[in-house]
Amino acid sequence: MVTKETTVPFFEMGPIRPPSEAHSLLIRVTRNCPWNRCQFCRTYKGQKFQLRTVDEIKQDIKTAKTIQDGIKELSWQFGYGGKLREAARMVLNNPFNEAYYNIALWLYAGGESAFLQDANTLIMKTSELVEVIRFLKKTLPSINRITSYARSKTAAKKTLDELIELKNAGLSRLHIGLESGYDPLLQYMDKGVTAAEHIAAGKKVVASGISLCEYVILGLGGKVMWQEHATETARVLNKINPDFIRVRTLSVTNQMPLYSEIENGNFVRATDEEIVKEEKLLIEKLECHSHFVSDHITNLLQEIEGGLPQDKEKMLASIDRFQSLSPEERQNFIVGRRVGIYRQLDDLSDSRQHERVEQVIRQLSQGDNHVEEKTIYTLMESFI
Ligand code: SF4
């Protein structure tokens, strides 16, 4: 990537967005996380939370438009007749800076979606956020979908009228980290929110008409609290009835406070097989009308996806299929997934891939063909 030059337009972007917003225009409306204490999170550790002024954000939106117009111009210059997709592809191959890359990716995907960063956009005054959303839509009218992250604690404090105002301004979806519905676990992880607040916030967002995606962390209960984690999370989700439930699997790095809890033995991680058992219990207990998604790279069984309640049996059948494998085949699948050879259970029947995984197992084991859990965690964490 060409490095940033002062004369080249540039706007600020935060570090993350949900997987489903990979092609969205990224507009940073606040910096970092105002809570920043969750034990399992490393994203903003060491960074101070800051609100940005509406003027600052508007300036970034104007810069995004300047870059978009420049790409349009390129399209004419290179004989694409103003077609943005082709010009965007050229820019993607050699972007001037990260902002160009983001705009080109966004235009390549159709230029319809924007994601407001960072961790808790709802913390802005509602009137200011409404102003930003309206300005964004007016300046870049191809945008018809605007989404953002929010904390339940903050969403619970907004009135229903405020959320409706945001919805009417153009806020289409909120992504909320539920993580768990089990109060002792939420407290232990220092999530700063209770199950009751999760429910109050979620129900209010749903009532406002803003689409809601709730994130759950599989394995968050470890070996001790997995059962309560699964059942209470399902109970909370059933009360909220979000549009989407997205699961990802606990992964731990040494930038997270949870790392030292594991090192000193206070938290014992669940194995992949135990997490599958937990996921089965969670799905069995879900009685909501939500779309369940497990597309995150950390999830062992990414194929578990579908609409609830109609696809519940299909999703549970994938789990049964994994659990009915012999211990050797389960290990083969786990290692194959964690080194990136397999994508789904069907891949087990590919004899070439299967043999490659067996070779990896021989390399990773101490001659007994058994791969330690610690090694599996390290392999998984190499993806994040
Ligand atoms: S609220 Fe979200 S971003 Fe903030 S520390 Fe917790 S998980 Fe991380």
Side-chain angles (χ1 to χ4, degrees):
M1 187 183 287
V2 178
T3 49
K4 179 187 160 191
E5 293 168 24
T6 47
T7 50
V8 176
F10 181 78
F11 58 88
E12 183 174 332
M13 276 168 288
I16 60 161
R17 39 87 191 140
S20 55
E21 306 296 334
H23 298 102
S24 293
L25 170 67
L26 301 178
I27 298 293
R28 195 176 204 185
V29 301
T30 66
R31 294 189 184 101
N32 309 314
C33 173
W35 178 248
N36 218 4
R37 284 168 51 175
C38 302
Q39 297 241 31
F40 51 82
C41 176
R42 63 172 178 173
T43 311
Y44 304 102
K45 292 286 181 283
Q47 306 293 319
K48 207 168 162 274
F49 173 75
Q50 284 177 313
L51 288 165
R52 299 186 74 204
T53 66
V54 171
D55 282 348
E56 247 183 289
I57 304 163
K58 282 184 174 174
Q59 190 48 54
D60 277 359
I61 295 170
K62 283 185 205 162
T63 307
K65 179 172 166 44
T66 305
I67 296 174
Q68 176 202 254
D69 292 348
I71 293 176
K72 205 179 273 181
E73 189 58 41
L74 274 182
S75 165
W76 287 108
Q77 276 174 25
F78 284 85
Y80 295 123
K83 286 189 193 131
L84 282 170
R85 212 158 177 254
E86 279 72 10
R89 188 171 31 210
M90 279 171 45
V91 174
L92 279 174
N93 287 332
N94 190 20
F96 289 115
N97 56 38
E98 265 183 86
Y100 268 81
Y101 184 81
N102 178 239
I103 297 278
L105 196 61
W106 167 65
L107 290 174
Y108 188 76
E112 294 183 354
S113 200
F115 180 73
L116 308 179
Q117 298 173 303
D118 280 337
N120 186 19
T121 300
L122 284 190
I123 204 162
M124 280 178 79
K125 278 188 191 149
T126 302
S127 57
E128 293 191 353
L129 188 51
V130 164
E131 193 179 339
V132 165
I133 292 170
R134 289 206 177 118
F135 186 79
L136 179 59
K137 289 189 75 169
K138 195 171 137 217
T139 311
L140 299 165
S142 65
I143 291 174
N144 57 27
R145 177 178 173 277
I146 299 174
T147 74
S148 194
Y149 280 134
R151 290 189 70 223
S152 284
K153 190 92 175 179
T154 313
K157 285 183 189 153
K158 293 275 182 202
T159 65
L160 179 59
D161 283 348
E162 283 179 292
L163 291 172
I164 291 172
E165 207 186 331
L166 287 164
K167 154 85 181 153
N168 290 341
L171 185 62
S172 329
R173 175 172 301 161
L174 284 171
H175 299 267
I176 291 185
L178 181 105
E179 330 298 9
S180 177
Y182 184 46
D183 273 324
L185 181 56
L186 289 167
Q187 204 174 359
Y188 175 68
M189 291 292 169
D190 210 355
K191 181 68 193 168
V193 63
T194 63
E197 285 165 335
H198 270 321
I199 294 169
K203 284 175 88 165
K204 220 185 283 183
V205 172
V206 170
S208 74
I210 295 172
S211 168
L212 176 62
C213 180
E214 296 275 8
Y215 289 75
V216 172
I217 303 183
L218 300 175
L220 194 67
K223 280 195 197 295
V224 177
M225 292 188 259
W226 72 270
Q227 241 163 325
E228 295 88 345
H229 172 45
T231 51
E232 286 300 287
T233 300
R235 181 185 71 82
V236 168
L237 287 167
N238 289 341
K239 296 232 183 235
I240 297 172
N241 202 24
D243 301 273
F244 293 90
I245 298 167
R246 272 197 140 85
V247 295
R248 63 189 193 284
T249 302
L250 178 69
S251 45
V252 185
T253 67
N254 59 9
Q255 300 102 323
M256 298 174 187
L258 189 58
Y259 183 84
S260 41
E261 283 292 282
I262 293 168
E263 290 287 288
N264 62 28
N266 289 340
F267 182 84
V268 185
R269 292 177 76 171
T271 63
D272 266 333
E273 294 203 27
E274 288 165 340
I275 291 172
V276 168
K277 208 163 133 194
E278 174 197 302
E279 188 173 16
K280 183 178 181 181
L281 182 59
L282 169 73
I283 295 172
E284 279 171 351
K285 298 272 177 193
L286 284 174
E287 284 162 7
C288 47
H289 291 75
S290 309
H291 196 83
F292 190 97
V293 189
S294 19
D295 56 356
H296 200 272
I297 185 77
T298 55
N299 295 331
L300 184 72
L301 299 172
Q302 281 187 298
E303 59 236 80
I304 298 179
E305 173 163 2
L308 291 166
Q310 68 275 18
D311 295 324
K312 193 189 231 188
E313 292 312 314
K314 187 191 85 184
M315 293 193 279
L316 290 172
S318 294
I319 292 181
D320 286 344
R321 191 177 160 198
F322 170 77
Q323 291 182 323
S324 321
L325 295 170
S326 67
E328 294 77 23
E329 283 300 273
R330 286 202 296 274
Q331 176 178 258
N332 181 286
F333 183 72
I334 290 169
V335 174
R337 275 287 301 137
R338 296 316 184 194
V339 296
I341 293 176
Y342 294 147
R343 287 186 56 242
Q344 52 193 11
L345 284 166
D346 279 349
D347 295 339
L348 276 172
S349 54
D350 182 320
S351 55
R352 263 188 44 237
Q353 290 189 17
H354 194 278
E355 180 47 33
R356 272 177 66 207
V357 178
E358 285 301 303
Q359 281 173 16
V360 174
I361 290 173
R362 285 194 285 274
Q363 283 163 13
L364 294 174
S365 62
Q366 310 292 327
D368 58 357
N369 269 7
H370 172 72
V371 182
E372 295 289 330
E373 276 315 317
K374 254 191 154 169
T375 309
I376 303 280
Y377 297 140
T378 309
L379 291 172
M380 174 177 77
E381 274 131 25
S382 67
F383 283 98
I384 60 161

